[in-house]
Amino acid sequence: MPVLSAIYRYPVKSVKGLAMRHSEVTPLGLPDDRAWMVTSDEGVMITGRDCPTMVKIDTEVDEHSLTLSAPGMPMLSIERSQFTAACDAHVWKDQFGAWTGAHEADAWISDYLGRKARLLYTGDPQRRVKRHPDIPLSFADGYPLLLIGESSRLQLNEWVGRDMEMARFRPNLVVSGADPFAEDGWKSIRIGNVVFQIDKPCGRCVFTTVDPHTAEKSDDQEPLRTIAKRRKGPEGAEFGQNVLARNAGQIELGMPVEILE
């Protein structure tokens, strides 16, 4: 039976992921996953697509604060309570309310990126919805969770001819022990007591070409070129599945993944 082999969350959109051994999961996703986002002064998102060095920012998060660190930068802790000013945020075509006001964080991010930027917080409650009106969404592109099969990554490695680390693809859930791209045929799975709906394939972009360690884009546009050639579908270059949790519960590494449908 397939098993859950990795869990990741990304407290700030586009920064380095945090590996977790266990986590609560709700229809909103993993706690504090993409709860913060870097933007321009106008609230338009800034991501690793146009600022690849964001992948070298490390984060720590607890119930009170977010801590940022990066090469050549001092460590900075920001209290959630510092985000006191309501503002507009934009993710693709969505405009919704968020919070700003952590001026030290704005200065830190601006200094690191070499451009004027702000750090926004979704706050609580979440006020953004997208495809599913009953499911709030953080600063994620379009879905609260992304699932990828480890065997799918290994197959991609063979096609490309070198190792493409899972970190390039920024999943929340990694499943091992299934055939390559078996997740494409799943409609519903259970991990622990949580039922997940497999909603649609994830269309991939140039962000996959950014090395998660060096922040450099590959000269040969891999693995995006191979994904586009081998995995062309309605969403473009498809790799991974967008999923929704249908109830709340706890998940942990090693749990069996039961294929319900």
Side-chain angles (χ1 to χ4, degrees):
M1 179 178 286
V3 299
L4 181 64
S5 56
I7 306 168
Y8 298 99
R9 66 174 170 176
Y10 309 85
V12 181
K13 185 179 180 72
S14 282
V15 307
K16 187 183 298 184
L18 292 176
M20 308 171 72
R21 295 196 59 80
H22 55 81
S23 178
E24 179 188 9
V25 63
T26 72
L28 183 62
L30 304 180
D32 288 320
D33 184 47
R34 290 160 291 192
W36 288 267
M37 178 175 72
V38 179
T39 76
S40 67
D41 274 348
E42 295 75 32
V44 178
M45 66 178 183
I46 297 173
T47 73
R49 298 171 182 87
D50 47 12
C51 286
T53 55
M54 290 181 70
V55 301
K56 300 175 80 171
I57 298 176
D58 280 294
T59 56
E60 294 180 14
V61 63
D62 60 33
E63 60 181 315
H64 300 295
S65 63
L66 169 75
T67 300
L68 303 171
S69 60
M73 296 293 295
M75 186 177 293
L76 177 68
S77 290
I78 314 108
E79 297 293 320
R80 295 176 194 252
S81 60
Q82 293 179 246
F83 295 88
T84 56
C87 65
D88 287 333
H90 304 262
V91 175
W92 302 116
K93 295 180 180 180
D94 295 342
Q95 180 175 334
F96 53 98
W99 299 93
T100 186
H103 302 302
E104 284 183 284
D106 296 345
W108 192 98
I109 291 286
S110 298
D111 189 23
Y112 178 70
L113 295 182
R115 59 184 289 186
K116 186 76 170 173
R118 294 190 297 169
L119 186 65
L120 269 54
Y121 180 43
T122 55
D124 186 27
Q126 311 288 353
R127 291 180 289 173
R128 177 191 176 204
V129 296
K130 195 170 174 66
R131 292 178 175 84
H132 300 270
D134 59 330
I135 299 175
L137 190 63
S138 67
F139 290 127
D141 277 352
Y143 281 85
L145 295 163
L146 174 65
L147 179 149
I148 297 178
E150 173 63 11
S151 295
S152 305
R153 184 187 71 86
L154 296 177
Q155 178 63 76
L156 180 62
N157 288 347
E158 290 189 23
W159 289 339
V160 174
R162 63 180 187 272
D163 185 48
M164 296 284 114
E165 294 181 62
M166 190 62 84
R168 287 178 180 266
F169 308 107
R170 306 181 70 77
N172 297 110
L173 310 174
V174 178
V175 174
S176 296
D179 292 336
F181 306 109
E183 61 269 25
D184 293 353
W186 300 342
K187 295 181 179 179
S188 180
I189 62 174
R190 181 186 289 117
I191 305 174
N193 67 344
V194 184
V195 174
F196 297 90
Q197 174 186 324
I198 313 301
D199 203 67
K200 66 184 296 188
C202 180
R204 308 316 303 236
C205 70
V206 69
F207 200 6
T208 60
T209 69
V210 176
D211 186 298
H213 300 294
T214 66
E216 296 177 355
K217 291 183 178 179
S218 57
D219 293 334
D220 58 4
Q221 298 181 326
E222 293 291 8
L224 186 59
R225 175 178 289 178
T226 293
I227 297 171
K229 178 181 178 181
R230 298 270 192 166
R231 302 276 304 159
K232 189 72 172 179
E235 302 301 317
E238 298 176 353
F239 190 75
Q241 292 288 329
N242 291 301
V243 305
L244 302 165
R246 283 306 178 188
N247 61 288
Q250 293 286 328
I251 57 173
E252 62 180 71
L253 299 187
M255 278 185 165
V257 177
E258 181 184 358
I259 314 306
L260 301 178
E261 186 180 359

